[in-house]
Amino acid sequence: MKKIIALLLSALMVMSLFAGCSKKTGDGGKTSDGDGEKGTIGVCIYKFDDAFMTTYRNSLQEILEGKGYKVSVVDGNNDQAKQNEQINTFISQGVQALIINPVMTSAADQIISTVKDAGIPTVLINREPTADQMAAYDKLVYVGCDAAQSGTFQGELILDTANKGDINGDGKVSYIMIQGDPENIDAQLRTEYSVKALTDAGVEVEQLNLTRGDWDRNRGQEIAANDLAQFGDQIEVIFCNNDDMAIGALQAIQSAGRKVNEDIYLVGVDALDAALNEVKNGNMTGTVLNDAVGQATEAVNQMEKLLGGTTYSEGNQSVYVPYVKVTPDNVGDFMN
Ligand code: BGC
């Protein structure tokens, strides 16, 4: 049934093109023809129920609408099959360009071949495919951040504490790692580089536990509660791959009667408003700004370049927005 609807929609689009119609048709987009008329942009988000991606998608919508585009933002519900359908629907509706936050990085090949076959300029965001995968299509660009950098900054936040993370003075930093979705390169590289910053600085480390929390606040709370019950005072540092999990972990830390920056350190990534408050109040050691507004701005900028005819080749298909370390000293700069 869906296929039939998609076919009908495509047929309607083709008819409207042959009618020489240069005005926007219903919900359909318009190809870029230099007359400045703006079409519809399809935005696919991996799931709406993600704290960081909520700020990001709101920002994308605001920027695109501010520039006069029509915008359709859809929720993939963390289901790649559903997102594939949404991409196909956007294509059959004739969107002018797509901005896609893939559900699974492993689906990148399929997404890229779909948008390539349709010839739709596409910006991938937040979940970075490999350079090889992206090289398959020259009207494709990735906008995100250098995930390794955020991990390094988390490690540096710990190195900058009075005892470099070794609260109990036993010569090593004992930590637990609460990981995002391990399929995601942000989760992989933050996990690796946060610890690498310590070992590169000559600090001995001991991993007490590593658990996937899938970027989720409740999972962060559960994991930290379990680990605090199991390892108690041995835990000196809790690394969380994002702030939402760190906020969850903070609840567990407080319930366990521990005090951040006194008997335990806690770091996240994103600089969500809630985390900025906790850094300010001394309940988080620090976080790393994952600049949602900066990335949304750059994604739209790259989309417009693609619409203007820019093409990309292997090796220059990723555009990075810098991360920024957030500590009690500079947290005020990031608060509204
Ligand atoms: C953010 C996480 C978010 C994830 C979604 C990461 O870059 O730090 O908060 O859940 O992207 O893919």
Side-chain angles (χ1 to χ4, degrees), residues 222-245:
E222 284 163 19
I223 292 164
N226 284 337
D227 284 351
L228 284 163
Q230 187 178 348
F231 301 105
D233 290 348
Q234 276 180 273
I235 304 178
E236 297 170 299
V237 175
I238 300 187
F239 285 110
C240 297
N241 281 174
N242 77 347
D243 279 348
D244 218 23
M245 296 189 296

Side-chain angles (χ1 to χ4, degrees), residues 169-184:
D170 67 352
K172 60 178 193 265
V173 173
S174 305
Y175 67 90
I176 62 161
M177 180 69 66
I178 306 184
Q179 206 180 22
D181 173 358
E183 206 247 1
N184 185 321

Side-chain angles (χ1 to χ4, degrees), residues 12 20 24 28 41 45 92 94 96 99 107 113 140 142 163 170-171 176 182 201 208 236 265 295 304 309 313 319:
L12 274 173
K24 274 180 261 176
I41 308 303
I45 300 297
S92 60
Q96 193 174 16
I99 297 179
S113 90
L140 177 93
Y142 173 77
N163 37 30
D170 67 352
I176 62 161
L208 297 169
E236 297 170 299
Y265 295 116
Q295 289 171 76
E304 292 196 314
S313 58
V319 179

Side-chain angles (χ1 to χ4, degrees), residues 46 50 52-53 126-127 184 186 190 215 241-242 269-270 290:
Y46 94 99
D50 175 296
F52 171 72
M53 287 313 304
N126 179 253
R127 294 180 167 191
N184 185 321
D186 285 3
R190 287 175 192 165
W215 308 117
N241 281 174
N242 77 347
V269 176
D270 283 340
N290 189 5

Side-chain angles (χ1 to χ4, degrees), residues 18 25 48 114 190 194 235:
F18 278 115
T25 51
F48 278 8
T114 304
R190 287 175 192 165
S194 51
I235 304 178

